[in-house]
Structures are given as structure tokens and as C-alpha cells.
Amino acid sequence: QKIPDAKDILEAMPLAAELGQLVLGTVTQTHALAAVRAGRLSQALDRFDRAEAILAGAGWPLGEVYLERVDAFVALRLVAEAEDAASRAIRALDVPGGAMLRAEALLHHARVLRWGGQLVDARQAAERAVELFGRQRRHAFRAQADVVAVEVAWSERAATVDADQGNGLPGVL
């Protein structure tokens, strides 16, 4: 998906405001994505906050805003914040019509949980993402979720070996 540059988005803001809160919130969210892609992460987080406030005021579901915020937190290496945003996305997308983005939120959540060392929860999120992507016939995303599940299993095995070696027991891979 091509994200317009910030200049084009800023030019669109007055028109977006005239068209209503939903359009303004969506354009503000796109502005946040452009800031993430440009590496201006603190600006991105401010814009996500604005988009969230505008969209919430318009009564729009916020799952996608939370999901996109995860990438900014990951880029800033803020594990707890990324995990919280992914959890909020999953909860917000647990509604009729939210299954496609919910599967993506579970995939993001699994990656963040693995990164933060929460391997059991990461495995569960990855397995759930694999299941949902499979049901949706989204094979490329399912493959990504499969890879995360394998990475989590590898991390679990490595943690077990490390624990065994720390107890004087032989480690086996």
C-alpha cells in the first residue's frame, strides 16, 4: 500500500475536515503512517493519538489505529507499549467484520510477545493467527504466522536448553 507523503496529506487536511470527522480521522491516521515510514516516530505517535481521538469521537472502531501503532512502538523498541497496542487491537477487532484485521493483530502480537520473551503467550497468538489466516485462505499471511510459530518454538527450545544447562542437566536440541 502506497502511503502519500506528508506534504500531500497536509494539503488534504482542510478538505478532510470539511468532509467530516471520519474522513479527517482517516487522513490523520494516514499522516501518522507516513511519519512512521519516514522515521519520525514521535510525530507518528502524536498523530496516532490525534487520529484515535478523532475516530473515537466519530464512533469509529479503533482496532486498525491500535494495530498500526504497534509498528511505531516496535521501531522505538518499546516492548510493553507495542504489546499493549497489539492487545488493544485484538480486543477492538473482536467484533463482527473484524476477523481479517484481528488475524493480523494476532500475528503482530505473537511477534511482540516473542520479542519480549513471553513465549507461551506468543505461541498461542501465533497458533490462533495461523488458524484464522487458514480459514480466511490468506496463504501468504498464514505462512508468516507459521514462521513466527516456528521461531517461538525455537525460542522455547533454546530457553529450555539454557535452563537445563543452568541446572547442570545436559541440554538437548
Side-chain angles (χ1 to χ4, degrees):
Q1 170 183 359
K2 184 180 183 312
I3 303 296
D5 66 24
K7 181 180 176 238
D8 292 339
I9 296 168
L10 284 173
E11 290 175 5
M13 285 291 190
L15 177 59
E18 288 178 25
L19 294 174
Q21 293 295 81
L22 181 56
V23 176
L24 179 61
T26 303
V27 171
T28 303
Q29 183 177 344
T30 302
H31 202 203
L33 289 172
V36 169
R37 297 232 167 44
R40 295 188 309 271
L41 301 173
S42 62
Q43 282 182 349
L45 294 175
D46 289 342
R47 290 173 185 157
F48 279 127
D49 287 344
R50 274 187 274 161
E52 181 179 346
I54 294 166
L55 291 169
W60 194 252
L62 300 175
E64 189 174 358
V65 175
Y66 300 143
L67 181 57
E68 291 172 346
R69 193 184 298 244
V70 173
D71 292 330
F73 286 132
V74 167
L76 289 167
R77 302 200 183 286
L78 299 172
V79 179
E81 291 82 353
E83 195 279 326
D84 180 61
S87 293
R88 291 172 76 186
I90 291 166
R91 286 191 304 274
L93 293 164
D94 192 14
V95 295
M100 287 185 74
L101 282 177
R102 187 165 197 269
E104 291 178 35
L106 283 162
L107 178 58
H108 277 65
H109 198 216
R111 288 178 174 144
V112 170
L113 289 168
R114 178 180 172 266
W115 180 39
Q118 298 177 53
L119 301 179
V120 172
D121 293 337
R123 179 174 25 84
Q124 292 171 350
E127 289 170 354
R128 184 75 177 118
V130 166
E131 177 188 334
L132 286 176
F133 286 131
R135 265 198 260 144
Q136 296 168 4
R137 299 178 198 256
R138 295 171 69 195
H139 304 297
F141 278 102
R142 181 184 170 156
Q144 290 178 36
D146 282 330
V147 168
V148 172
V150 168
E151 290 171 344
V152 169
W154 182 261
S155 295
E156 287 177 315
R157 167 100 20 125
T160 301
V161 168
D162 288 345
D164 288 348
Q165 289 174 350
N167 294 325
L169 300 173
V172 178
L173 278 180

